[in-house]
Amino acid sequence: MSTGCTWLWGEGHVSRHSSAMLLTPFLIAMAMAVSEVSTSCPVLCTCRSHIVDCSGQRLFSVPPDLPLDTRNLSLAHNRITTIPPGYLTCYGELRVLDLRNNSLAELPAGLFLTAKRLAHLDLSYNNFSHVAANMFQEANSLVRIDLSHNPCLRKVHPQAFRGLAQLRDLDLSHGGLSFLSLEALEGLPGLVTLQIGGNPWVCGCTMEPLLKWLRNRIQRCTSDSQLAECRAPPEVEGAPLFSLTEESFKACHLTLTLDDYLFIAFVGFVVSIASVATNFLLGITANCCHRWSKASEDEE
């Protein structure tokens, strides 16, 4: 009896041992596959310590597969024109994204929806013409954004940086901006450095709210103050932007009194009467000339 029990136990043991031996190669293969997926490096790129460097490879498109644990991705100095929607979906560990010196004109909506840890974004030396309202949607951990040296950049949407409460450094220098809405900056409580030099600023009345806000809110914005100059109007062309004072915008606050309105109304009335009189005299003169010409023809 004991022999039978012993035999049955031995058979079960052998069966389980055989199953384990059969499963072991499969588990090893799965582990190797997962390891290969998580550590595979794109062609023309170098990968080490969570850093993927694909810079300077004359790429026309982004590499399709990256290691899933990528934290620092450099695609700088290439010829990339577009980024596919959802490209960053699988890379939740990404902290740094370098896209400088490419040919990008826009980013797909929702690109950063899963990039919750992205802190540094470099978009300098590209072809952006505007910064859309949803450009940085859900990228709430961004600390630095570099949009400098985009010569075609002429418009920043008032809601472009909405939700970026941790943003400390914003570089908008050397672009084509002539105006920047104060609303675009008011939602950035952590902003410390703002680079805006090298733009063709129009220093009219619309510039006053921005300058006043800069003086009151930005702790360090003088690093490029010598580069920030007015392009227009002519009376302040070439003047440093931060040299403008409240006196410079005095004309923007002039108000008309009742006497001013009465004087304008009087001048308008006089001009109207003069215009009517002039037209009347011209009509009489033209009529006389016509009659004189007709009389001359009858005499002949």
Side-chain angles (χ1 to χ4, degrees), residues 70-74 88 91-99 107 111-123 135-145 163-164 166-167:
T70 299
R71 296 183 183 178
N72 188 325
L73 173 60
S74 177
L88 301 179
Y91 312 117
E93 297 297 318
L94 192 64
R95 266 80 160 176
V96 179
L97 179 58
D98 188 351
L99 290 165
L107 296 179
L111 178 64
F112 306 111
L113 287 177
T114 58
K116 302 296 185 180
R117 300 186 179 184
L118 185 64
H120 299 269
L121 177 62
D122 195 337
L123 299 170
M135 191 165 175
F136 307 108
Q137 183 180 2
E138 299 298 330
N140 300 329
S141 296
L142 277 172
V143 175
R144 174 175 173 76
I145 298 176
L164 306 185
Q166 298 187 47
L167 191 68

Coordinates of all heavy atoms in Angstrom, one line a residue, residues 70-74 88 91-99 107 111-123 135-145 163-164 166-167:
T70 N 12.8 55.2 -21.7 CA 13.5 56.4 -22.2 C 13.1 57.6 -21.3 O 11.9 58.0 -21.1 CB 13.2 56.7 -23.6 OG1 13.6 55.6 -24.5 CG2 13.9 58.0 -24.1
R71 N 14.1 58.3 -20.8 CA 13.9 59.5 -20.0 C 14.4 60.8 -20.7 O 13.9 61.9 -20.5 CB 14.6 59.4 -18.7 CG 14.0 58.3 -17.8 CD 14.7 58.3 -16.4 NE 14.2 57.2 -15.6 CZ 14.6 56.9 -14.4 NH1 15.6 57.7 -13.9 NH2 14.1 55.9 -13.7
N72 N 15.4 60.6 -21.6 CA 16.0 61.8 -22.3 C 16.1 61.4 -23.7 O 16.8 60.5 -24.1 CB 17.4 62.1 -21.7 CG 18.0 63.4 -22.3 OD1 17.7 63.7 -23.4 ND2 18.7 64.1 -21.5
L73 N 15.3 62.1 -24.6 CA 15.3 61.8 -26.0 C 15.7 63.0 -26.8 O 15.2 64.1 -26.7 CB 13.9 61.4 -26.5 CG 13.6 61.3 -28.0 CD1 14.5 60.2 -28.5 CD2 12.2 61.0 -28.3
S74 N 16.8 62.9 -27.6 CA 17.3 64.0 -28.4 C 17.1 63.6 -29.9 O 17.7 62.6 -30.4 CB 18.8 64.2 -28.1 OG 19.3 65.2 -29.0
L88 N 4.2 59.9 -28.2 CA 4.8 59.7 -26.9 C 4.0 58.9 -25.9 O 4.2 58.8 -24.7 CB 5.0 61.1 -26.3 CG 6.0 62.1 -27.1 CD1 6.1 63.4 -26.3 CD2 7.3 61.5 -27.2
Y91 N 5.8 56.4 -23.6 CA 7.0 56.8 -23.0 C 6.7 57.7 -21.8 O 7.0 58.9 -21.8 CB 7.9 57.5 -24.0 CG 8.1 56.7 -25.2 CD1 7.6 57.1 -26.5 CD2 8.6 55.4 -25.2 CE1 7.8 56.4 -27.6 CE2 8.7 54.6 -26.3 CZ 8.3 55.1 -27.5 OH 8.4 54.3 -28.7
G92 N 6.0 57.1 -20.8 CA 5.6 57.9 -19.6 C 6.7 58.3 -18.7 O 6.5 59.1 -17.8
E93 N 8.0 57.8 -18.9 CA 9.1 58.2 -18.1 C 9.9 59.3 -18.7 O 10.9 59.8 -18.1 CB 10.0 57.0 -18.0 CG 9.4 55.8 -17.2 CD 9.1 56.1 -15.8 OE1 9.9 56.8 -15.1 OE2 8.0 55.7 -15.4
L94 N 9.5 59.8 -19.9 CA 10.2 60.9 -20.6 C 10.3 62.2 -19.7 O 9.3 62.7 -19.3 CB 9.6 61.2 -21.9 CG 10.4 62.0 -22.9 CD1 11.6 61.3 -23.3 CD2 9.5 62.3 -24.1
R95 N 11.5 62.7 -19.6 CA 11.7 63.9 -18.8 C 12.2 65.1 -19.7 O 11.9 66.2 -19.5 CB 12.8 63.7 -17.7 CG 12.3 63.4 -16.4 CD 11.9 61.9 -16.2 NE 11.8 61.5 -14.8 CZ 11.5 60.3 -14.4 NH1 11.1 59.4 -15.3 NH2 11.4 60.0 -13.1
V96 N 13.0 64.7 -20.7 CA 13.7 65.7 -21.6 C 13.4 65.3 -23.0 O 13.6 64.2 -23.5 CB 15.2 65.8 -21.3 CG1 15.8 66.9 -22.3 CG2 15.5 66.2 -19.9
L97 N 12.9 66.3 -23.8 CA 12.7 66.1 -25.2 C 13.3 67.2 -26.0 O 12.9 68.4 -25.9 CB 11.2 66.1 -25.5 CG 10.8 65.9 -27.0 CD1 11.4 64.6 -27.6 CD2 9.2 65.9 -27.2
D98 N 14.3 66.9 -26.8 CA 15.1 67.9 -27.6 C 14.7 67.8 -29.1 O 15.1 66.8 -29.7 CB 16.6 67.7 -27.3 CG 17.4 68.8 -27.9 OD1 16.9 69.7 -28.6 OD2 18.6 68.8 -27.7
L99 N 14.0 68.8 -29.6 CA 13.6 68.8 -31.0 C 14.2 70.0 -31.7 O 13.7 70.3 -32.8 CB 12.1 68.8 -31.1 CG 11.4 67.5 -30.7 CD1 9.9 67.8 -30.5 CD2 11.6 66.4 -31.7
L107 N 2.9 70.9 -33.8 CA 2.9 69.7 -33.0 C 1.4 69.2 -33.0 O 0.5 69.9 -33.0 CB 3.3 69.9 -31.6 CG 4.8 70.3 -31.4 CD1 5.1 70.5 -29.9 CD2 5.8 69.4 -32.0
L111 N -0.2 65.6 -28.0 CA 1.1 64.9 -28.0 C 1.6 64.6 -26.6 O 2.2 63.6 -26.4 CB 2.1 65.8 -28.7 CG 3.6 65.2 -28.8 CD1 3.6 63.9 -29.6 CD2 4.5 66.2 -29.4
F112 N 1.3 65.5 -25.6 CA 1.9 65.3 -24.3 C 0.9 64.8 -23.3 O 1.1 64.9 -22.1 CB 2.4 66.6 -23.8 CG 3.4 67.3 -24.7 CD1 3.0 68.4 -25.4 CD2 4.6 66.7 -24.9 CE1 3.9 69.0 -26.3 CE2 5.5 67.3 -25.8 CZ 5.2 68.5 -26.5
L113 N -0.2 64.2 -23.7 CA -1.3 63.7 -22.8 C -0.7 62.7 -21.8 O -1.2 62.6 -20.7 CB -2.4 63.1 -23.6 CG -3.3 64.1 -24.4 CD1 -4.4 63.4 -25.2 CD2 -3.9 65.1 -23.4
T114 N 0.2 61.8 -22.2 CA 0.7 60.8 -21.3 C 2.1 61.1 -20.8 O 2.7 60.4 -20.1 CB 0.8 59.4 -22.0 OG1 1.5 59.5 -23.2 CG2 -0.7 59.0 -22.4
A115 N 2.7 62.3 -21.3 CA 4.0 62.7 -20.9 C 4.0 63.5 -19.6 O 4.3 64.7 -19.5 CB 4.7 63.5 -22.0
K116 N 3.5 62.9 -18.5 CA 3.2 63.5 -17.3 C 4.5 64.0 -16.6 O 4.4 64.9 -15.7 CB 2.4 62.6 -16.3 CG 1.1 62.1 -16.9 CD 0.1 63.2 -17.1 CE -1.2 62.7 -17.6 NZ -2.2 63.8 -17.8
R117 N 5.6 63.4 -16.9 CA 6.9 63.8 -16.2 C 7.8 64.7 -17.1 O 8.9 65.0 -16.7 CB 7.6 62.5 -15.8 CG 6.8 61.6 -14.9 CD 7.6 60.5 -14.4 NE 6.8 59.6 -13.5 CZ 7.3 58.6 -12.8 NH1 8.6 58.2 -13.0 NH2 6.6 57.9 -12.0
L118 N 7.4 65.0 -18.3 CA 8.2 65.9 -19.1 C 8.5 67.2 -18.5 O 7.6 68.0 -18.2 CB 7.5 66.0 -20.5 CG 8.3 66.8 -21.6 CD1 9.6 66.0 -21.9 CD2 7.5 67.1 -22.8
A119 N 9.8 67.5 -18.3 CA 10.1 68.8 -17.7 C 10.8 69.8 -18.6 O 10.7 71.0 -18.4 CB 11.1 68.5 -16.5
H120 N 11.6 69.3 -19.6 CA 12.3 70.2 -20.5 C 12.0 69.9 -21.9 O 12.1 68.8 -22.4 CB 13.8 70.0 -20.2 CG 14.3 70.3 -18.8 ND1 14.7 71.6 -18.5 CD2 14.4 69.6 -17.7 CE1 15.0 71.6 -17.2 NE2 14.8 70.4 -16.7
L121 N 11.6 70.9 -22.6 CA 11.2 70.8 -24.0 C 11.9 71.9 -24.8 O 11.7 73.1 -24.6 CB 9.6 71.0 -24.1 CG 9.1 70.9 -25.6 CD1 9.4 69.6 -26.2 CD2 7.6 71.2 -25.5
D122 N 12.6 71.4 -25.8 CA 13.4 72.4 -26.7 C 12.8 72.3 -28.1 O 13.0 71.3 -28.8 CB 14.9 72.0 -26.7 CG 15.7 73.1 -27.2 OD1 15.2 74.0 -28.0 OD2 17.0 73.2 -26.9
L123 N 12.2 73.4 -28.5 CA 11.6 73.5 -29.9 C 12.3 74.6 -30.7 O 11.7 75.1 -31.7 CB 10.1 73.8 -29.8 CG 9.3 72.7 -29.1 CD1 7.9 73.2 -28.9 CD2 9.3 71.4 -29.9
M135 N -1.3 73.3 -27.5 CA 0.0 72.8 -27.9 C 0.7 72.1 -26.8 O 1.4 71.0 -27.0 CB 0.9 74.0 -28.3 CG 2.2 73.6 -29.0 SD 3.0 75.0 -29.8 CE 4.5 74.3 -30.4
F136 N 0.5 72.5 -25.5 CA 1.2 71.9 -24.4 C 0.2 71.2 -23.4 O 0.4 71.1 -22.2 CB 2.1 72.9 -23.6 CG 3.0 73.6 -24.5 CD1 2.8 74.9 -24.8 CD2 4.1 73.0 -25.1 CE1 3.7 75.6 -25.7 CE2 5.0 73.6 -25.9 CZ 4.8 75.0 -26.2
Q137 N -0.9 70.8 -24.0 CA -2.0 70.3 -23.2 C -1.5 69.1 -22.3 O -0.9 68.2 -22.8 CB -3.2 69.8 -24.1 CG -4.4 69.3 -23.3 CD -5.5 68.9 -24.3 OE1 -5.3 69.0 -25.5 NE2 -6.6 68.5 -23.8
E138 N -1.8 69.1 -21.0 CA -1.5 68.1 -20.0 C 0.0 67.9 -19.7 O 0.4 67.1 -18.9 CB -2.1 66.7 -20.5 CG -3.6 66.7 -20.7 CD -4.3 67.0 -19.4 OE1 -3.8 66.6 -18.3 OE2 -5.4 67.5 -19.4
A139 N 0.8 68.8 -20.3 CA 2.3 68.7 -20.0 C 2.5 69.6 -18.7 O 3.3 70.5 -18.7 CB 3.1 69.2 -21.1
N140 N 1.9 69.2 -17.6 CA 1.8 70.0 -16.4 C 3.1 70.1 -15.6 O 3.2 70.8 -14.7 CB 0.7 69.6 -15.5 CG -0.7 69.7 -16.2 OD1 -0.9 70.6 -17.1 ND2 -1.6 68.9 -15.9
S141 N 4.1 69.2 -16.0 CA 5.3 69.2 -15.3 C 6.4 70.0 -16.0 O 7.6 70.0 -15.5 CB 5.8 67.7 -15.1 OG 4.9 67.0 -14.3
L142 N 6.1 70.6 -17.0 CA 7.1 71.4 -17.8 C 7.7 72.5 -16.9 O 7.0 73.3 -16.3 CB 6.5 72.0 -19.0 CG 6.4 71.0 -20.3 CD1 5.7 71.7 -21.4 CD2 7.8 70.6 -20.7
V143 N 9.0 72.5 -16.9 CA 9.8 73.5 -16.2 C 10.4 74.5 -17.1 O 10.5 75.7 -16.8 CB 10.9 72.9 -15.3 CG1 11.7 73.9 -14.6 CG2 10.2 72.0 -14.3
R144 N 10.8 74.0 -18.3 CA 11.4 74.9 -19.3 C 10.9 74.6 -20.7 O 10.8 73.5 -21.1 CB 12.9 74.8 -19.3 CG 13.6 75.5 -20.4 CD 15.1 75.5 -20.3 NE 15.8 76.1 -21.4 CZ 15.9 77.4 -21.7 NH1 15.4 78.2 -20.8 NH2 16.5 77.8 -22.7
I145 N 10.5 75.7 -21.4 CA 10.2 75.6 -22.8 C 11.0 76.6 -23.6 O 11.1 77.8 -23.3 CB 8.7 75.9 -23.1 CG1 7.8 75.0 -22.3 CG2 8.3 75.9 -24.5 CD1 6.3 75.3 -22.4
G163 N -2.3 76.0 -17.7 CA -2.1 74.8 -16.9 C -0.6 74.5 -16.5 O -0.3 73.5 -15.8
L164 N 0.3 75.3 -17.0 CA 1.8 75.0 -16.8 C 2.2 75.8 -15.5 O 3.1 76.7 -15.6 CB 2.6 75.4 -18.0 CG 2.2 74.8 -19.3 CD1 3.1 75.2 -20.4 CD2 2.1 73.3 -19.2
Q166 N 4.1 75.0 -13.2 CA 5.5 74.7 -12.7 C 6.5 75.4 -13.7 O 7.7 75.3 -13.4 CB 5.8 73.3 -12.6 CG 4.9 72.6 -11.5 CD 5.3 71.1 -11.3 OE1 6.5 70.8 -11.1 NE2 4.3 70.2 -11.3
L167 N 6.1 76.0 -14.8 CA 7.0 76.5 -15.7 C 7.8 77.7 -15.1 O 7.2 78.6 -14.6 CB 6.2 77.0 -17.0 CG 7.1 77.4 -18.2 CD1 7.7 76.1 -18.8 CD2 6.2 78.1 -19.2

